């Protein structure tokens, strides 16, 4: 669900496409794709594995786990996009806007490889500018509700946004501790992918 982070932690246009495609493709079909898209899928999976095993994320999940148990990781992902979108040490507000518009443009260039359900989502994502609007409370409220709506075993009215809102300060600290490690990991993973050319 953390689309902004996955787009930000990409090093080529094809990797951006692969990072988004990962959630929409069967594993066996990935090998039919161009290498740069495959690299994006590999990078997405590596980022997810690194994130799930990071000790700071284990602590961060405790904010949500009393309410949503095993789904806490999905809500932490959403929170990371909120703090990333507001991270002016990595980009200016204008830079984040530019990044969002560039990402939508790239995804349209690779639409051939995406299934219809992604194309529909991309249309909504671009129309409402999800990537840029993650910086707003309303954008994260929407994303949190989207996770709730898709979760099979959670009540759709759980006050997850309220938990986020009431714990912003500690969640910000977790982001500050975690995200530099993730950036460095993504760079190392990309270097390894380049070595496999």
């Amino acid at each position: 669900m953390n689309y902004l982070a996955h787009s930000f932690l990409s090093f080529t246009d094809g990797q951006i496409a692969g990072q988004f495609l990962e959630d929409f493709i069967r594993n066996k079909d990935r090998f039919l794709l161009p290498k740069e898209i495959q690299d994006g899928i590999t990078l997405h999976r590596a980022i997810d594995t690194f994130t799930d095993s990071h000790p700071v994320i284990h602590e961060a999940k405790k904010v949500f786990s009393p309410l949503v148990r095993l789904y806490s990781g999905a809500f932490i992902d959403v929170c990371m996009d909120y703090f990333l979108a507001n991270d002016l040490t990595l980009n200016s507000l204008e830079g984040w806007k530019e990044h969002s518009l560039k990402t939508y443009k790239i995804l349209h260039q690779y639409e051939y490889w995406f299934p219809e359900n992604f194309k529909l989502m991309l249309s909504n994502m671009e129309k409402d500018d999800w990537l840029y609007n993650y910086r707003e409370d309303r954008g994260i409220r929407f994303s949190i509700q989207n996770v709730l709506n898709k979760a099979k075993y959670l009540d759709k009215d759980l006050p997850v946004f309220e938990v986020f809102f009431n714990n912003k300060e500690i969640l910000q600290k977790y982001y500050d501790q975690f995200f530099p490690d993730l950036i460095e990991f993504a760079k190392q993973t990309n270097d390894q992918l380049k070595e496999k050319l």
Side-chain angles (χ1 to χ4, degrees), residues 10-160:
S10 295
F11 301 88
T12 67
D13 292 357
Q15 283 185 10
I16 288 177
Q19 290 249 33
F20 279 78
L21 186 57
E22 200 284 330
D23 289 329
F24 293 85
I25 192 169
R26 294 177 300 182
N27 189 51
K28 65 178 183 176
D29 293 336
R30 64 185 285 207
F31 301 106
L32 304 173
L33 300 167
K35 183 184 183 302
E36 62 176 344
I37 297 180
Q38 289 186 46
D39 285 350
I41 293 170
T42 300
L43 185 55
H44 181 125
R45 293 178 179 180
I47 286 169
D48 284 356
T49 299
F50 179 83
T51 299
D52 290 343
S53 63
H54 198 285
V56 170
I57 296 302
H58 280 286
E59 287 301 308
K61 286 179 182 179
K62 294 176 183 177
V63 171
F64 293 104
S65 57
L67 185 63
V68 297
R69 298 198 206 60
L70 295 177
Y71 287 91
S72 59
F75 293 107
I76 289 297
D77 283 350
V78 170
C79 293
M80 291 297 138
D81 268 3
Y82 172 85
F83 295 113
L84 177 59
N86 283 286
D87 191 338
L88 301 184
T89 67
L90 295 176
N91 214 341
S92 64
L93 289 182
E94 296 79 11
W96 283 122
K97 185 68 174 179
E98 185 179 314
H99 172 82
S100 299
L101 295 174
K102 177 185 172 188
T103 299
Y104 304 138
K105 183 178 179 182
I106 290 168
L107 292 173
H108 281 298
Q109 290 170 352
Y110 285 85
E111 266 188 302
Y112 170 81
W113 301 102
F114 287 102
E116 289 304 315
N117 58 341
F118 178 83
K119 292 175 186 176
L120 177 62
M121 189 193 80
L122 175 58
S123 175
N124 292 328
M125 180 184 287
E126 186 174 22
K127 178 171 62 78
D128 296 326
D129 200 358
W130 292 4
L131 296 179
Y132 183 72
N133 286 321
Y134 282 141
R135 63 184 305 276
E136 306 285 350
D137 285 350
R138 64 184 172 85
I140 286 304
R141 183 192 290 272
F142 173 84
S143 295
I144 285 172
Q145 191 59 52
N146 199 24
V147 174
L148 278 171
N149 291 342
K150 291 179 179 179
K152 289 183 179 179
Y153 304 108
L154 292 180
D155 185 321
K156 309 312 177 204
D157 297 320
L158 285 174
V160 181

Side-chain angles (χ1 to χ4, degrees), residues 138-195:
R138 64 184 172 85
I140 286 304
R141 183 192 290 272
F142 173 84
S143 295
I144 285 172
Q145 191 59 52
N146 199 24
V147 174
L148 278 171
N149 291 342
K150 291 179 179 179
K152 289 183 179 179
Y153 304 108
L154 292 180
D155 185 321
K156 309 312 177 204
D157 297 320
L158 285 174
V160 181
F161 176 77
E162 289 73 10
V163 172
F164 160 76
F165 191 80
N166 293 330
N167 289 277
K168 267 191 190 180
E169 189 174 332
I170 185 64
L171 289 167
Q172 175 75 62
K173 289 178 182 175
Y174 289 137
Y175 167 84
D176 292 340
Q177 293 169 25
F178 166 69
F179 213 79
D181 291 353
L182 181 59
I183 290 173
E184 185 57 34
F185 173 78
K187 288 177 180 175
Q188 291 172 3
T189 303
N190 183 57
D191 288 344
Q192 292 167 5
L193 291 170
K194 286 192 293 188
E195 289 172 5

